[in-house]
Amino acid sequence: MSVPFKENSIFFAPMEGMTDDIYRNVITTLYPEWDYVSTDFLRIPTVGNYPDSHIIKHYGNEVYSTPKTRKKTIYQILTSSNAYTEHHIQRIQALGFEWLDINLGCPSKTVCKNMGGSYLLSDLPELKSIIDTIRSNFKGTFTAKIRVGYKDDLNFERVLKLLEDCGVDAITIHARTRDELYKGVAKWQYIKEAVKIVNIPIIGNGDIWSVKDINDYYDYTNCHSVMIARGALKTPWLAREYKAGNQFEDHEMRINEMARYYSFFYNEIERLSDLSEQSQNKRLKSISRYIFDPLENAAVKKKAFLLSKTKDELFEVIKSL
Ligand SMILES: Cc1cc2nc3c(=O)[nH]c(=O)nc-3n(C[C@H](O)[C@H](O)[C@H](O)COP(=O)(O)O)c2cc1C
């Protein structure tokens, strides 16, 4: 199957706790230059079955009822050998989700102890069995998001070939092992190697923070497309800058864009959720780890924002940037 995305596509990465329905709606509305956004993972259960309503709720009622957004979204699962994978894949297929991604990079101790996420990069027979199950039950686009290995990179080439041979349509690689977590800088040379090892598209991921990084990344790795996580939280309008060819942004532009982004997000939380003001503020703060960094006196400004107790205080900080 050929992939639905063009070369040089730019993906907004899955991030648990961030990329929920409401947040993705903000991104696809304000910054449609992101070619695709990804949901965080739906954990396939080892006991019982999810009703369809649970699957739709996790992936987002708003997305589900808006065909254009639904098509721009990648739906991620996390599973393990003892989970009810086949049943849930059949449900996801029947519900009309068109692009499924398996999370093979999650480093969480609990997930790995239950033989899911990045653990599977160390257990190729189990990995093959799970990938075969998904591929034979899912007709849409099926991608895998991996790290370069579990404890080390010794299986890297074997994993890539296994995924390709089992009919995975494209592979996203976060260029660190599971044991490296987020240490150091992701090693872009793994992406360059992967491009030579398999014939399916490689989506490069890990430590892409700016337009310059995206350009350098393509030049160096020759990969098909890129996916950005923390850099997308730092500059949610990064895809727009990349497509416009802007290498640099000035202070004025960042603060204006921040005001627009926060106001829109707040309005969407108010419109689509029944969270208390305190929880709404918490949600706003949760996406704010990197976005202040390029500003002068970033630490002081971020601290004032994070210590704000009310909506008015939060927006006072943003106004005073
Ligand atoms: C807060 C947070 C949550 C994440 N949740 C997920 C997730 O649900 N699924 C997934 O495949 N990766 C998840 N990741 C990993 C990112 O998608 C990405 O692979 C990683 O951060 C490296 O990319 P970056 O250097 O652009 O941040 C998460 C990362 C962060 C920072």
Side-chain angles (χ1 to χ4, degrees):
M1 168 176 198
S2 66
V3 290
F5 55 99
K6 294 196 211 89
E7 263 191 69
N8 283 24
S9 288
I10 179 156
F11 293 78
F12 200 108
M15 282 179 274
E16 192 186 9
M18 313 279 159
T19 47
D20 63 5
D21 195 16
I22 299 178
Y23 185 70
R24 283 182 280 113
N25 197 40
V26 171
I27 294 299
T28 51
T29 307
L30 288 184
Y31 309 117
E33 294 82 2
W34 291 98
D35 292 294
Y36 292 90
V37 293
S38 182
T39 71
D40 46 318
F41 59 83
L42 175 77
R43 192 190 300 250
I44 304 298
T46 49
V47 180
N49 295 327
Y50 292 145
D52 288 353
S53 56
H54 178 89
I55 299 174
I56 295 173
K57 184 161 180 238
H58 183 89
Y59 287 150
N61 291 309
E62 184 83 357
V63 164
Y64 193 62
S65 54
T66 318
K68 195 166 158 231
T69 327
R70 194 159 92 195
K71 277 196 175 302
K72 263 192 101 145
T73 308
I74 304 167
Y75 303 90
Q76 192 177 65
I77 59 158
L78 185 136
T79 193
S80 54
S81 29
N82 53 352
Y84 290 120
T85 306
E86 182 165 10
H87 170 83
H88 289 90
I89 299 304
Q90 287 168 353
R91 294 313 315 145
I92 290 169
Q93 163 90 37
L95 287 168
F97 294 104
E98 288 168 30
W99 183 336
L100 192 66
D101 183 59
I102 179 168
N103 179 332
L104 296 171
C106 180
S108 142
K109 273 195 185 140
T110 319
V111 167
C112 291
K113 213 169 84 196
N114 289 319
M115 299 191 287
S118 55
Y119 162 82
L120 288 166
L121 303 173
S122 68
D123 188 339
L124 301 195
E126 279 306 338
L127 177 63
K128 180 170 171 12
S129 153
I130 289 172
I131 299 294
D132 281 341
T133 301
I134 299 174
R135 184 67 287 182
S136 56
N137 284 282
F138 189 73
K139 307 285 169 277
T141 304
F142 172 36
T143 53
K145 183 163 177 289
I146 69 172
R147 284 180 174 246
V148 301
Y150 186 57
K151 293 204 170 305
D152 53 49
D153 63 2
L154 298 178
N155 276 344
F156 184 52
E157 187 166 339
R158 277 191 288 266
V159 166
L160 293 173
K161 288 193 169 141
L162 182 157
L163 295 172
E164 181 179 40
D165 291 346
C166 293
V168 164
D169 294 311
I171 305 170
T172 306
I173 305 171
H174 173 191
R176 289 184 174 88
T177 63
R178 180 263 175 188
D179 278 4
E180 283 172 338
L181 298 169
Y182 278 88
K183 273 185 224 125
V185 177
K187 298 188 187 77
W188 294 6
Q189 66 264 33
Y190 282 110
I191 310 296
K192 187 178 174 141
E193 275 175 41
V195 169
K196 294 183 193 147
I197 294 169
V198 288
N199 293 313
I200 53 177
I202 295 294
I203 303 165
N205 169 239
D207 285 288
I208 301 172
W209 293 93
S210 63
V211 173
K212 182 176 182 316
D213 282 352
I214 300 174
N215 288 325
D216 290 351
Y217 204 89
Y218 279 129
D219 285 349
Y220 178 70
T221 67
N222 212 15
C223 68
H224 184 285
S225 292
V226 295
M227 177 178 277
I228 306 177
R230 292 165 302 162
L233 294 179
K234 180 178 169 189
T235 309
W237 48 93
L238 186 58
R240 186 183 69 197
E241 297 299 288
Y242 171 66
K243 290 191 175 170
N246 294 342
Q247 288 271 9
F248 305 103
E249 65 168 20
D250 59 17
H251 175 80
E252 209 54 29
M253 197 216 117
R254 174 162 286 266
I255 59 171
N256 288 339
E257 207 54 70
M258 281 174 73
R260 193 164 89 96
Y261 169 67
Y262 279 112
S263 313
F264 191 74
F265 188 29
Y266 211 101
N267 290 343
E268 287 296 276
I269 300 174
E270 280 183 332
R271 184 171 75 84
L272 297 167
S273 78
D274 49 10
L275 295 178
S276 65
E277 184 183 330
Q278 198 188 11
S279 302
Q280 290 175 353
N281 295 343
K282 215 166 140 193
R283 185 70 185 92
L284 219 62
K285 292 175 189 179
S286 75
I287 54 158
S288 305
R289 174 140 179 221
Y290 307 100
I291 196 166
F292 288 82
D293 291 356
L295 301 176
E296 255 178 55
N297 291 327
V300 176
K301 289 171 179 165
K302 183 155 76 180
K303 192 168 170 198
F305 184 78
L306 295 178
L307 290 176
S308 297
K309 293 218 163 42
T310 63
K311 176 182 176 185
D312 289 346
E313 279 177 37
L314 282 172
F315 281 92
E316 265 316 305
V317 175
I318 292 171
K319 235 194 266 164
S320 68
L321 291 175

